[in-house]
Protein backbone atom coordinates (compact mmCIF):
# COMPACT_ATOMS: atom_id res chain seq x y z
CA UNK A 1 0.00 0.00 0.00
CA UNK A 2 1.30 3.44 -0.86
CA UNK A 3 0.83 6.14 1.75
CA UNK A 4 0.21 9.79 1.00
CA UNK A 5 3.94 10.51 1.25
CA UNK A 6 4.88 7.89 -1.36
CA UNK A 7 6.22 5.28 1.06
CA UNK A 8 5.07 1.69 0.75
CA UNK A 9 4.70 -0.84 3.52
CA UNK A 10 5.57 -4.45 2.67
CA UNK A 11 6.03 -7.61 4.64
CA UNK A 12 3.27 -7.02 7.19
CA UNK A 13 1.81 -10.50 6.74
CA UNK A 14 5.21 -12.07 7.32
CA UNK A 15 5.52 -10.23 10.62
CA UNK A 16 8.03 -7.69 9.35
CA UNK A 17 7.39 -4.06 8.65
CA UNK A 18 9.70 -2.78 5.93
CA UNK A 19 9.34 0.73 4.61
CA UNK A 20 10.70 1.45 1.17
CA UNK A 21 10.72 4.63 -0.81
CA UNK A 22 8.69 3.79 -3.88
CA UNK A 23 7.04 6.08 -6.34
CA UNK A 24 3.39 5.49 -7.10
CA UNK A 25 4.22 4.64 -10.73
CA UNK A 26 6.51 1.81 -9.61
CA UNK A 27 3.88 0.55 -7.17
CA UNK A 28 1.21 0.59 -9.87
CA UNK A 29 3.54 -1.29 -12.18
CA UNK A 30 4.13 -3.92 -9.48
CA UNK A 31 0.39 -4.43 -9.04
CA UNK A 32 -0.06 -5.01 -12.75
CA UNK A 33 2.18 -8.08 -12.60
CA UNK A 34 -0.09 -9.80 -10.07
CA UNK A 35 -3.58 -11.13 -10.55
CA UNK A 36 -7.18 -10.90 -9.45
CA UNK A 37 -9.04 -13.67 -7.66
CA UNK A 38 -12.84 -13.66 -7.83
CA UNK A 39 -14.67 -15.71 -5.21
CA UNK A 40 -18.14 -17.01 -5.93
CA UNK A 41 -19.98 -18.74 -3.10
CA UNK A 42 -23.57 -18.43 -4.33
CA UNK A 43 -25.54 -20.49 -6.83
CA UNK A 44 -27.79 -17.58 -7.76
CA UNK A 45 -27.63 -17.20 -11.58
CA UNK A 46 -27.20 -13.42 -11.44
CA UNK A 47 -24.26 -13.77 -9.02
CA UNK A 48 -22.64 -16.39 -11.24
CA UNK A 49 -23.17 -14.01 -14.16
CA UNK A 50 -21.36 -11.28 -12.24
CA UNK A 51 -18.29 -13.49 -11.92
CA UNK A 52 -18.24 -13.93 -15.69
CA UNK A 53 -18.79 -10.21 -16.33
CA UNK A 54 -16.11 -9.23 -13.82
CA UNK A 55 -13.62 -11.56 -15.51
CA UNK A 56 -14.31 -10.24 -18.99
CA UNK A 57 -14.35 -6.60 -17.90
CA UNK A 58 -11.11 -6.90 -15.91
CA UNK A 59 -9.33 -8.59 -18.80
CA UNK A 60 -10.47 -5.82 -21.17
CA UNK A 61 -9.64 -3.06 -18.67
CA UNK A 62 -6.04 -4.20 -18.28
CA UNK A 63 -5.61 -5.11 -21.96
CA UNK A 64 -6.63 -1.54 -22.83
CA UNK A 65 -3.75 -0.41 -20.60
CA UNK A 66 -1.36 -2.79 -22.34
CA UNK A 67 -1.13 -5.09 -19.32
CA UNK A 68 -1.87 -8.78 -19.03
CA UNK A 69 -3.72 -9.63 -15.82
CA UNK A 70 -4.03 -13.13 -14.41
CA UNK A 71 -7.60 -13.83 -13.30
CA UNK A 72 -8.83 -16.82 -11.33
CA UNK A 73 -12.46 -17.50 -10.47
CA UNK A 74 -12.73 -19.67 -7.36
CA UNK A 75 -16.01 -21.44 -6.61
CA UNK A 76 -16.71 -22.37 -3.00
CA UNK A 77 -19.77 -23.69 -1.13
CA UNK A 78 -22.96 -23.35 -3.17
CA UNK A 79 -20.94 -21.41 -5.74
CA UNK A 80 -19.52 -24.68 -7.09
CA UNK A 81 -22.64 -24.92 -9.23
CA UNK A 82 -21.02 -22.47 -11.67
CA UNK A 83 -18.45 -25.11 -12.67
CA UNK A 84 -20.75 -28.15 -12.47
CA UNK A 85 -21.32 -29.55 -15.95
CA UNK A 86 -24.64 -30.98 -14.73
CA UNK A 87 -26.01 -27.74 -13.20
CA UNK A 88 -24.43 -24.57 -14.54
CA UNK A 89 -26.78 -22.39 -16.56
CA UNK A 90 -23.70 -20.64 -18.00
CA UNK A 91 -21.78 -23.41 -19.76
CA UNK A 92 -21.49 -21.59 -23.10
CA UNK A 93 -20.34 -18.21 -21.71
CA UNK A 94 -17.85 -19.96 -19.40
CA UNK A 95 -16.31 -22.02 -22.20
CA UNK A 96 -16.22 -19.07 -24.60
CA UNK A 97 -14.65 -16.76 -22.03
CA UNK A 98 -12.04 -19.33 -21.03
CA UNK A 99 -11.11 -19.90 -24.69
CA UNK A 100 -10.77 -16.18 -25.36
CA UNK A 101 -8.76 -15.41 -22.22
CA UNK A 102 -5.77 -17.70 -21.73
CA UNK A 103 -4.90 -15.81 -18.53
CA UNK A 104 -8.22 -16.89 -16.95
CA UNK A 105 -8.53 -20.00 -14.79
CA UNK A 106 -11.41 -21.68 -12.98
CA UNK A 107 -11.02 -23.45 -9.63
CA UNK A 108 -13.57 -25.45 -7.65
CA UNK A 109 -13.30 -26.25 -3.96
CA UNK A 110 -12.77 -30.03 -3.66
CA UNK A 111 -14.09 -29.99 -0.10
CA UNK A 112 -17.37 -28.38 -1.21
CA UNK A 113 -17.58 -30.87 -4.08
CA UNK A 114 -17.21 -33.85 -1.72
CA UNK A 115 -19.89 -32.43 0.59
CA UNK A 116 -22.30 -31.86 -2.32
CA UNK A 117 -21.63 -35.33 -3.72
CA UNK A 118 -22.37 -36.94 -0.35
CA UNK A 119 -25.53 -34.88 0.11
CA UNK A 120 -26.84 -35.49 -3.43
CA UNK A 121 -25.49 -39.05 -3.81
CA UNK A 122 -24.04 -38.23 -7.26
CA UNK A 123 -20.64 -37.79 -8.83
CA UNK A 124 -20.25 -34.15 -9.83
CA UNK A 125 -18.76 -33.55 -13.29
CA UNK A 126 -16.73 -30.38 -13.85
CA UNK A 127 -16.92 -28.20 -16.94
CA UNK A 128 -13.95 -28.36 -19.28
CA UNK A 129 -11.08 -26.24 -18.00
CA UNK A 130 -12.12 -26.21 -14.33
CA UNK A 131 -9.61 -27.47 -11.77
CA UNK A 132 -10.03 -28.72 -8.24
CA UNK A 133 -8.25 -27.05 -5.32
CA UNK A 134 -8.33 -28.60 -1.83
CA UNK A 135 -10.16 -25.66 -0.22
CA UNK A 136 -11.64 -22.73 -2.15
CA UNK A 137 -11.19 -20.25 0.65
CA UNK A 138 -7.62 -21.48 1.15
CA UNK A 139 -6.91 -20.83 -2.52
CA UNK A 140 -8.25 -17.28 -2.20
CA UNK A 141 -6.05 -16.58 0.81
CA UNK A 142 -2.99 -18.16 -0.85
CA UNK A 143 -3.42 -15.85 -3.84
CA UNK A 144 -3.99 -12.79 -1.64
CA UNK A 145 -0.78 -13.55 0.24
CA UNK A 146 0.98 -13.52 -3.14
CA UNK A 147 -0.35 -10.01 -3.80
CA UNK A 148 -3.48 -10.77 -5.79
CA UNK A 149 -6.48 -8.48 -5.51
CA UNK A 150 -9.69 -10.03 -4.15
CA UNK A 151 -13.22 -9.60 -5.46
CA UNK A 152 -16.29 -11.26 -4.01
CA UNK A 153 -18.89 -11.86 -6.70
Amino acid sequence: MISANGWSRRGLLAGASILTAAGTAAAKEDRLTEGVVILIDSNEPYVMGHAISYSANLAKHFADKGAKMLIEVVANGKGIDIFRADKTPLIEPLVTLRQSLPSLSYSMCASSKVIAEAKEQVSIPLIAGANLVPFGIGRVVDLQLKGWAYIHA
Side-chain angles (χ1 to χ4, degrees):
M1 178 189 301
I2 304 297
S3 66
N5 63 8
W7 288 81
S8 68
R9 183 178 290 260
R10 294 183 182 223
L12 291 178
L13 295 175
S17 178
I18 302 169
L19 292 177
T20 58
T24 55
K28 286 179 185 176
E29 192 67 31
D30 284 347
R31 281 188 242 147
L32 293 178
T33 62
E34 304 298 340
V36 176
V37 59
I38 301 169
L39 174 66
I40 178 163
D41 58 5
S42 170
N43 60 359
E44 294 292 330
Y46 74 93
V47 176
M48 291 190 277
H50 281 121
I52 293 171
S53 295
Y54 294 164
S55 300
N57 292 343
L58 283 168
K60 179 157 179 28
H61 174 77
F62 285 101
D64 288 350
K65 294 180 174 202
K68 184 177 176 183
M69 178 64 65
L70 298 174
I71 301 168
E72 184 168 338
V73 179
V74 177
N76 193 53
K78 291 182 179 182
I80 67 169
D81 283 3
I82 193 170
F83 300 139
R84 286 183 63 164
D86 62 337
K87 280 199 171 184
T88 186
L90 304 167
I91 189 75
E92 303 239 355
L94 286 166
V95 170
T96 301
L97 186 62
R98 177 70 184 92
Q99 289 172 345
S100 67
L101 298 174
S103 62
L104 174 65
S105 59
Y106 300 142
S107 297
M108 178 192 282
C109 174
S111 177
S112 296
K113 180 179 181 276
V114 167
I115 292 167
E117 287 174 331
K119 182 178 177 182
E120 298 174 31
Q121 297 294 299
V122 298
S123 178
I124 295 175
L126 276 64
I127 64 167
N131 301 302
L132 286 175
V133 294
F135 301 99
I137 198 67
R139 179 67 178 159
V140 170
V141 171
D142 285 345
L143 292 173
Q144 284 184 289
L145 291 173
K146 291 178 181 177
W148 287 46
Y150 167 73
I151 297 173
H152 185 246

